[in-house]
Amino acid sequence: MNRRYITRRVLYGIPLILGVTFVSFLLMVYFGPDKTYELLGKNPTTEQISEVRRALGYDRAFLLRYGDYLRELVTLDLGLSDSSGEPVSVILKRTLPVSIALVLPGFILGNLMGLALGLLAAWYRGKWLDKLVMSASVVGMSVSFLVIIIGLQILLCTPYGLNLFPVRGWQVHDLGSYLYYVTVPTLALVLVTLGYNTRFYRAVMVEEIERDHIRTAQAYGASPRELLFRHVLKNSLIPVLTRIMFSVPFVVISGSLLLESYFGIPGIGLVTFNAITSGDQPILKAVVGLTGVLFVLALTVNDMLYSLVDPRVAKP
Amino acid sequence: MTGTTWQRLKSDPLGVGGLCVVVLFALVALCVWSGLLGQGWSEVSGERWENASSDHWFGTNLLGQDILQRTLFGTATAFEVGLIVTACSTILGTLMGALAGWYSHSWLDELVLWLKGVLDSIPFYLFAAAVAFALQGNPWAMHLAMIVTFWTTTARIIRGEVMRIKEREFIEAARAIGLPGLVTVFRHVLPNTFHILLVQGSIVFVAAINTEVILSFLGLGIQDGVSWGLMLAESSQEVLAGHFGNFAAAGGSLFLLLMGFNLLADALQDALDTRRAIR
């Protein structure tokens, strides 16, 4: 592996991490609500006020406060939740597995189905099958996530439809109950991502299929299966993997935010939703800062892996 | 837009259909703004959860307000959010992209790319929550959050396009006769990116309307007035009791408008042949 390339990627990641944490510090700590008077009784004296402000760190210099926030994120010592008084790190540790269990099946299915449909459309590009798949994906892209969720709920969870699945909740203790609660959210996630995924994967595949070496391989009598798996899929691995890596934090956070607040599932999305509605600053600043940092880290590792897979990437 | 583009767009039935839908909704929004339609959106004009009738085409909601009036007014809200966000983020993205592209590989370019990288790294709904948190209930927090994050894609596309255009001969000629850099950018480079902005603008418009719905449901969106997002949020409680008026009216309108815009954006992209640049 090219050592200079790795150094450059790491050096590029540092200002990004500083930027992400600085934005969340600025928005949520520096310009965030002043908690002084929430902690004080009635008619506080000037000394009491300044004491509370010192305890909250409000009297410290701007950069020192930013440093405090960075230290909190690095040591995962994120303070106590305003509403429950529980340590934020404990809450995150408890809820993250629930969110992953909730969105993982939909995420994998949405990408696999998108890849398959995209490949199918690209292979028969210009034919009716391609047109059918692409029209369906425009329709899919035009339905709002919220409409999909409510529509599926009516169809599958109420007496007005099939009434097969629970309206809300998450009482998971074995595989059967897991499937019982995860099916409707998974369907919603697949439907909302499938249109975008199919279009993206089709574009990638068409570009790859139209390359000269594919035509050459075809002329030398390669079978369709060999063409697809050995030449097309293998060469389009990088844009495909990039998209998947890029979308992980967004699907986990944004997807779970809506699904969990709608279905009342106790994951990180519901915790965040409650923190948004009640203005729970310690939770919000931890979630925003940590997802930003994790995203940049994943991006950096991702780029390094590419230079292993494909030496062209590491070229300056 | 040139004549041939218009000809190509006209020969694409799906694109024409999309354009018609968008124009129809835009007319509704105009009528709402000029006070001809949807003015009774907050009036209580019937009983709670009335069924659809000739008086109330989609029935009434929990408070007895007419759902049709609210849907019409919601059209204006959707266009307001879409237009403001699209205009501001397109201007911002064009300026940033032009600067970064014209002075490519300079510290200015690095700065714009860094800013874009930072904003792209924060999941959007969390960023919107953070902005709402910092502005503490300001009704423009939602618009601001969208503008601040949506410009990055436009900037990336414009940056690439400006870097391509500035290698062309007519730019070299402008430089040779001693035209200052910024004059060249505004008078000779940016006008050549207009077709890309048109397509990218319609994509941003769709994203803004779509995002408003989710943010309003999360309680981070529209605060005064009514929007399709707020109606859908209302309907999430009602559908379990078998009242589908809000869901059908708001969900249906939202679908039609988004579909119209998606078809129009696709047709524009084909007619202007910008698919390569946008992707």
Side-chain angles (χ1 to χ4, degrees):
Chain A
M1 209 190 299
N2 187 334
R3 188 164 294 156
R4 264 186 62 205
Y5 177 73
I6 295 179
T7 324
R8 209 170 62 220
R9 293 311 309 173
V10 172
L11 286 180
Y12 182 70
I14 291 171
L16 275 183
I17 288 186
L18 287 177
V20 169
T21 49
F22 188 71
V23 167
S24 44
F25 164 75
L26 208 61
L27 287 174
M28 280 176 296
V29 184
Y30 194 72
F31 288 121
D34 189 327
K35 294 202 301 188
T36 312
Y37 296 96
E38 281 174 31
L39 297 174
L40 284 166
K42 271 184 184 165
N43 303 324
T45 60
T46 330
E47 289 85 53
Q48 280 172 324
I49 293 179
S50 57
E51 198 176 312
V52 167
R53 293 188 74 81
R54 189 159 340 112
L56 287 169
Y58 288 173
D59 58 342
R60 285 161 59 82
F62 180 80
L63 277 180
L64 284 177
R65 290 183 66 192
Y66 175 54
D68 289 345
Y69 177 60
L70 277 184
R71 203 197 59 235
E72 281 177 24
L73 287 179
V74 170
T75 57
L76 291 181
D77 175 17
L78 302 158
L80 307 175
S81 155
D82 277 348
S83 39
S84 67
E86 219 181 330
V88 174
S89 49
V90 173
I91 298 180
L92 295 185
K93 226 175 276 167
R94 188 184 60 228
T95 52
L96 189 62
V98 175
S99 296
I100 292 176
L102 173 71
V103 294
L104 200 63
F107 182 69
I108 294 174
L109 274 177
N111 275 297
L112 280 182
M113 288 169 69
L115 198 57
L117 286 173
L119 203 54
L120 200 67
W123 195 255
Y124 294 103
R125 61 190 178 285
K127 307 267 171 52
W128 65 269
L129 194 61
D130 177 29
K131 283 178 185 147
L132 184 74
V133 170
M134 292 330 281
S135 313
S137 66
V138 175
V139 173
M141 283 164 62
S142 306
V143 190
S144 163
F145 198 6
L146 197 53
V147 174
I148 291 179
I149 293 179
I150 301 177
L152 282 177
Q153 196 184 34
I154 297 173
L155 281 179
L156 296 173
C157 313
T158 64
Y160 308 101
L162 297 172
N163 206 6
L164 289 175
F165 294 100
V167 167
R168 49 189 280 122
W170 184 262
Q171 267 104 43
V172 173
H173 36 77
D174 53 13
L175 186 66
S177 59
Y178 175 58
L179 290 178
Y180 183 57
Y181 285 102
V182 89
T183 304
V184 178
T186 298
L187 279 176
L189 202 56
V190 168
L191 284 179
V192 79
T193 50
L194 192 56
Y196 293 97
N197 283 343
T198 305
R199 263 170 91 110
F200 174 81
Y201 290 132
R202 179 189 179 274
V204 171
M205 296 304 162
V206 164
E207 187 157 311
E208 210 51 58
I209 285 175
E210 283 175 355
R211 279 179 201 267
D212 288 339
H213 68 268
I214 300 290
R215 200 182 311 138
T216 312
Q218 208 163 13
Y220 275 99
S223 68
R225 186 188 299 163
E226 200 182 339
L227 267 183
L228 268 186
F229 287 96
R230 269 197 52 199
H231 301 285
V232 176
L233 271 180
K234 209 172 147 192
N235 276 313
S236 50
L237 213 58
I238 283 196
V240 170
L241 283 180
T242 309
R243 180 178 177 86
I244 292 176
M245 286 292 279
F246 256 88
S247 53
V248 165
F250 292 90
V251 170
V252 171
I253 293 298
S254 305
S256 69
L257 192 60
L258 205 61
L259 287 173
E260 288 172 9
S261 56
Y262 196 89
F263 290 108
I265 296 166
I268 211 162
L270 186 62
V271 167
T272 313
F273 176 74
N274 289 336
I276 290 172
T277 40
S278 65
D280 196 335
Q281 187 216 29
I283 288 188
L284 273 184
K285 71 179 186 193
V287 172
V288 178
L290 285 179
T291 39
V293 171
L294 284 180
F295 181 73
V296 178
L297 287 181
L299 214 64
T300 312
V301 173
N302 191 38
D303 283 346
M304 288 179 187
L305 288 180
Y306 285 166
S307 66
L308 274 181
V309 179
D310 187 347
R312 282 175 302 179
V313 175
K315 273 189 196 153
Chain B
M1 195 163 24
T2 57
T4 43
T5 309
W6 181 238
Q7 287 299 327
R8 270 194 240 166
L9 189 63
K10 266 205 305 197
S11 63
D12 183 344
L14 285 176
V16 173
L19 185 64
C20 290
V21 173
V22 171
V23 168
L24 197 72
F25 274 100
L27 283 177
V28 171
L30 274 178
C31 289
V32 173
W33 283 325
S34 54
L36 294 171
L37 274 179
Q39 299 305 302
W41 64 272
S42 63
E43 263 168 44
V44 176
S45 56
E47 297 296 309
R48 160 185 299 201
W49 288 323
E50 272 184 43
N51 284 326
S53 65
S54 55
D55 284 344
H56 306 289
W57 291 6
F58 287 98
T60 57
N61 69 359
L62 168 76
L63 299 171
Q65 296 161 323
D66 182 48
I67 288 175
L68 177 67
Q69 295 278 337
R70 294 171 75 76
T71 310
L72 292 174
F73 196 86
T75 311
T77 311
F79 269 86
E80 184 211 286
V81 173
L83 285 175
I84 293 176
V85 170
T86 307
C88 295
S89 70
T90 302
I91 292 172
L92 192 62
T94 309
L95 288 179
M96 295 291 223
L99 281 179
W102 187 254
Y103 300 107
S104 55
H105 306 300
S106 70
W107 64 270
L108 199 65
D109 185 26
E110 292 292 330
L111 190 69
V112 172
L113 288 181
W114 171 77
L115 198 59
K116 173 180 148 29
V118 167
L119 291 170
D120 287 347
S121 302
I122 306 176
F124 172 75
Y125 297 119
L126 290 183
F127 184 77
V131 172
F133 200 63
L135 295 178
Q136 292 172 40
N138 188 311
W140 296 100
M142 172 184 70
H143 300 74
L144 192 69
M146 285 198 228
I147 293 165
V148 169
T149 43
F150 286 5
W151 65 268
T152 55
T153 312
T154 312
R156 174 175 61 81
I157 295 165
I158 292 298
R159 174 178 179 268
E161 196 61 13
V162 168
M163 280 167 72
R164 205 174 59 82
I165 291 174
K166 80 173 178 186
E167 303 300 327
R168 302 259 300 267
E169 278 157 9
F170 67 96
I171 300 299
E172 206 183 321
R175 199 177 289 144
I177 61 171
L179 215 57
L182 283 178
V183 177
T184 319
V185 170
F186 279 101
R187 204 176 289 163
H188 300 289
V189 178
L190 285 182
N192 284 305
T193 61
F194 179 72
H195 59 294
I196 294 177
L197 290 178
L198 203 64
V199 176
Q200 180 58 20
S202 57
I203 293 172
V204 171
F205 205 106
V206 170
I209 294 177
N210 231 334
T211 307
E212 181 274 319
V213 170
I214 309 285
L215 287 179
S216 290
F217 172 75
L218 293 173
L220 298 167
I222 298 290
Q223 290 167 12
D224 323 306
V226 68
S227 77
W228 294 337
L230 290 175
M231 292 174 68
L232 283 171
E234 255 179 62
S235 83
S236 66
Q237 303 298 318
E238 298 171 346
V239 290
L240 299 178
H243 305 293
F244 302 113
N246 264 326
F247 175 67
S253 317
L254 183 63
F255 172 71
L256 280 180
L257 182 57
L258 291 183
M259 185 83 188
F261 256 111
N262 276 330
L263 290 176
L264 179 63
D266 277 356
L268 271 177
Q269 216 160 40
D270 288 340
L272 295 160
D273 201 16
T274 59
R275 209 167 275 278
R276 219 155 251 290
I278 294 287
R279 202 173 61 218

